[in-house]
Amino acid sequence: MKKVLGIDIGGTKISFGLMNDEGELLKTTKKSTELNREDILDTIIEGIKEFKNENPIAISISVAGFVDTNQGKILVSPNIKGFWGFHLKESLERVIDIPVFVANDANMAALAEKWIGSAKEFDNFVMLTMGTGLGGAVYDSRTGFLEGSTFQGSELGHIIMYPDGRDCGCGQKGCAEKYIAGSSLSANYKELTGKELQGPEIISILEKDENAKEALKKVSRDLAIYLSTIKNIFDPQAVIIGGGFSETSEYWLENTIEEYIKICNRPGDMKIMTGKFLNDAGIIGACRNAFINMDKKDA
Ligand SMILES: [Zn+2]
């Protein structure tokens, strides 16, 4: 049975998962890392060594940012400075003798949801990953992922929502990622109170703290405005919301959908739902990507 090793480079940790060609995750592990190029590379290589005896036929990496999937090169990396213009595939293939694939994390999450998750039934959908940042993927069964002319398309987190708004790691100001990602709840709360609280803490005080409620309401409303833009550009069958923040959807999703229906000119039948996979979406999608690419090579 063929096996591949999927690797998901997250905010402060790197996840590894070995998968067979029937889609079963056989073994997973996580490693902490500092957010710089050398530490990340060392951690990846260390992790790969641990799976060596399993004989994976390929390594497939899911990473945030704009990725040239042909070259396995990261073009823009809002969260990891040393990754701008970095040839990740080439660097790894110098020390590893199996093929390496690199792709954008939101696309990989979408691939996982399309394969065996919430988007299984849809031929045309948009994936949003609300984590530290806001990732986006646009998928159509006939054409695959929208990558644009220079692999910088469907970066939905960098649509400007508030001109001259909060500074974004991409160089712009007021990007959607600064208002409707997991970290936005903390940012909203800080604007209201001057206090720094993490997202989960704010969720836990919703009942007794008006500012916490207000901070969450703003994320929810900004998401509704944003969904109306998504509907008008892509007209998808569904928007699938994944990433860590989707775990708290019971506190805001209903409100977001109500607001979206009020705001949007033609809300239509566009489904708005959470993804099936939270932490494993990147790994599962990356593994699926490796199998698809290896099949192309064999053909
Ligand atoms: Zn941005």
Side-chain angles (χ1 to χ4, degrees), residues 197-247:
L197 286 189
Q198 293 297 310
E201 289 174 83
I202 299 170
I203 294 285
S204 74
I205 56 170
L206 279 178
E207 290 293 318
K208 52 183 184 201
D209 187 328
E210 280 305 310
N211 288 316
K213 227 180 266 172
E214 199 52 43
L216 183 64
K217 211 167 133 195
K218 177 160 167 60
V219 177
S220 176
R221 182 170 160 81
D222 282 340
L223 177 58
I225 295 168
Y226 178 85
L227 285 169
S228 146
T229 301
I230 295 294
K231 166 70 170 70
N232 276 299
I233 302 175
F234 301 109
D235 184 29
Q237 288 172 300
V239 175
I240 312 289
I241 301 175
F245 194 67
S246 66
E247 268 182 298

Side-chain angles (χ1 to χ4, degrees), residues 64-124:
F66 304 175
V67 180
D68 175 338
T69 47
N70 290 341
Q71 295 189 69
K73 181 181 172 185
I74 300 162
L75 306 169
V76 174
S77 171
N79 305 320
I80 309 165
K81 284 207 168 63
F83 266 17
W84 286 67
F86 180 45
H87 273 276
L88 180 55
K89 174 185 166 77
E90 198 182 275
S91 300
L92 286 175
E93 284 183 340
R94 251 183 247 141
V95 286
I96 291 155
D97 56 2
I98 51 175
V100 175
F101 304 101
V102 183
N104 169 271
D105 60 349
N107 283 2
M108 294 304 94
L111 206 51
E113 296 294 348
K114 172 64 192 160
W115 186 28
I116 44 179
S118 300
K120 227 169 142 182
E121 312 297 328
F122 302 121
D123 288 318
N124 186 293

